[in-house]
Amino acid sequence: MAEPSGTARDPEAVSRFVEHFAAQLVEAGLPRMPARVFGALLASDTGILTSAQLGEQLKISPAAVSGAVRYLAQQRMVSREREPGSRRERYRVHGDQWYEALTNREAVIRRWEDALREGVTSLGAESPAGRRLAETLAFFEFVEKEIETMMERWRAHREERFGRG
Amino acid sequence: MAEPSGTARDPEAVSRFVEHFAAQLVEAGLPRMPARVFGALLASDTGILTSAQLGEQLKISPAAVSGAVRYLAQQRMVSREREPGSRRERYRVHGDQWYEALTNREAVIRRWEDALREGVTSLGAESPAGRRLAETLAFFEFVEKEIETMMERWRAHREERFGRG
DNA sequence: CGCTTACTTCAGAAATTTGTGAAGTTAAGG
DNA sequence: CCTTAACTTCACAAATTTCTGAAGTAAGCG
């Protein structure tokens, strides 16, 4: 039962976690393959896997890995690194980075704000609808600022609890 | 150019806003019809529309309205009210309520946390992967608490800026 | 008590999204 | 250079999702 450090991990336990966690992400709106790839990275020992490892572990084609990784990189949830002197690429989930990404609904929020501002202008700031849109806009502006300070607090909290990553 | 209060609203301007805003919500993962219905409610003068009004304005079938509204109600983004003594139903976007809903990713976060806890256990809290999952879990627990206090701050901020609802 | 209006449910057509195999591209290694 | 390994892109098949018309249900009104 004990797990001496250095022991091979139980691939089945890993897979169970990956699939279960990915399912939750999918339900929250993430496409299936990116969710599974992300789960696999989270559950890996180093947080780094190659394309080949991902394909094998998840039983998906290189094309699927490529697509999933492109998606995740765009969302800033993983970074891609070239293994120097090789054309093998490594994908990594990097602590701080992906927390930021999660809150980097920021880009999304920014676009909502733009649409709302436009609405306020075109419907008239003094119309009832315009006022509602303006208040919604104010809410998002508020949230945007709050998230920033929240992340600062998290970093402090994290350091205290885990030491510097 | 001026918009004397009480003037009929420009349906085209409304539609432009609704479609543009809905498009942003769709990009963020909301299904199309719920997004459009929600936009229409936001852009209405009273924040209340009947099923018929929604269908006409968005050029969609009663079935589509029904489905969209069911979805939005489930997400707590709108409430449904029976117009007393009529079988007409009114759908409303109610300021506070839908801000809460937006942050009520809470249920979603809760499930992520469950999956992560399971992962920590089955991969071993002392394994490298287990530690990563534990830290991720800690992040979500932190965020969950923060959101609560954030909403309190918002209510204060809002009241100061807009007066009570 | 039955007619009519307002919504809901359901089955299926249409559109969209997903994942694959195959062909293409790039760069390391001989 | 030429070969080959490692990804990427593309076209298409398969699965899924979305929206509609039609039939169903419920409740006000005469």
Side-chain angles (χ1 to χ4, degrees):
Chain A
M1 274 301 105
E3 274 275 334
S5 70
T7 290
R9 291 135 36 84
D10 173 0
E12 252 204 51
V14 173
S15 176
R16 249 198 317 281
F17 165 73
V18 169
E19 298 305 331
H20 185 191
F21 187 64
Q24 305 307 319
L25 295 179
V26 167
E27 210 159 329
L30 214 68
R32 173 182 310 278
M33 285 295 138
R36 297 179 70 209
V37 166
F38 186 69
L41 282 168
L42 258 197
S44 70
D45 266 346
T46 58
I48 301 177
L49 292 173
T50 65
S51 179
Q53 291 174 308
L54 285 168
E56 191 192 0
Q57 187 180 329
L58 300 174
K59 303 272 188 272
I60 57 180
S61 70
V65 175
S66 177
V69 158
R70 184 179 357 150
Y71 179 97
L72 290 169
Q74 237 155 22
Q75 311 295 316
R76 307 284 148 114
M77 292 176 70
V78 308
S79 61
R80 349 178 52 162
E81 340 186 309
R82 200 151 289 77
E83 209 170 301
S86 157
R87 66 223 106 141
R88 199 168 260 142
E89 212 150 0
R90 312 188 317 174
Y91 307 116
R92 121 183 288 163
V93 49
H94 190 24
D96 323 23
Q97 166 192 308
W98 91 265
Y99 302 143
E100 311 277 351
L102 238 214
T103 61
N104 258 359
R105 315 297 291 165
E106 205 192 296
V108 175
I109 292 184
R110 204 72 57 74
R111 283 208 303 281
W112 292 4
E113 290 177 351
D114 291 344
L116 285 167
R117 256 187 285 276
E118 218 185 279
V120 172
T121 302
S122 81
L123 300 192
E126 295 314 317
S127 71
R131 264 191 283 273
R132 179 177 311 103
L133 298 187
E135 188 185 313
T136 301
L137 176 56
F139 174 71
F140 286 121
E141 289 170 339
F142 176 83
V143 166
E144 218 183 335
K145 269 206 221 80
E146 287 282 314
I147 284 181
E148 225 179 286
T149 69
M150 177 178 86
M151 288 309 293
E152 277 160 32
R153 284 192 295 277
W154 162 249
R155 280 186 283 269
H157 180 78
R158 176 198 192 192
E159 201 162 300
E160 186 188 323
R161 181 161 164 189
F162 297 95
R164 54 190 82 244
Chain B
M1 275 299 107
E3 275 275 334
S5 71
T7 290
R9 291 136 35 87
D10 174 0
E12 253 204 49
V14 173
S15 175
R16 251 198 316 283
F17 165 74
V18 170
E19 297 306 330
H20 184 192
F21 187 64
Q24 306 305 319
L25 295 179
V26 167
E27 210 159 327
L30 213 67
R32 173 180 309 277
M33 284 296 141
R36 296 179 69 208
V37 166
F38 186 69
L41 282 168
L42 259 197
S44 70
D45 266 345
T46 58
I48 301 177
L49 292 173
T50 65
S51 178
Q53 291 173 310
L54 284 167
E56 191 193 2
Q57 187 180 330
L58 299 174
K59 303 271 188 273
I60 57 181
S61 70
V65 174
S66 176
V69 158
R70 181 176 3 148
Y71 178 96
L72 291 170
Q74 236 154 22
Q75 311 296 315
R76 307 284 147 113
M77 291 175 71
V78 309
S79 60
R80 349 177 53 164
E81 341 187 308
R82 223 349 142 326
E83 207 168 302
S86 157
R87 68 222 104 145
R88 199 168 259 144
E89 213 152 357
R90 313 187 318 173
Y91 307 115
R92 118 182 292 161
V93 48
H94 190 25
D96 324 25
Q97 166 192 310
W98 90 265
Y99 302 143
E100 310 278 351
L102 238 213
T103 60
N104 259 356
R105 315 297 290 163
E106 205 191 297
V108 175
I109 292 185
R110 206 70 58 74
R111 283 207 303 281
W112 293 5
E113 290 177 353
D114 291 344
L116 286 166
R117 256 186 286 275
E118 218 185 279
V120 172
T121 302
S122 80
L123 301 191
E126 294 315 317
S127 70
R131 265 191 282 273
R132 180 177 311 103
L133 298 188
E135 188 184 312
T136 301
L137 175 57
F139 175 70
F140 286 122
E141 289 171 338
F142 176 83
V143 166
E144 216 183 337
K145 268 205 222 82
E146 286 283 311
I147 284 181
E148 225 178 287
T149 70
M150 178 177 85
M151 287 308 292
E152 277 161 32
R153 283 193 294 278
W154 162 250
R155 279 187 282 268
H157 180 78
R158 179 199 190 192
E159 200 161 302
E160 188 188 322
R161 182 161 164 190
F162 296 96
R164 55 189 81 244

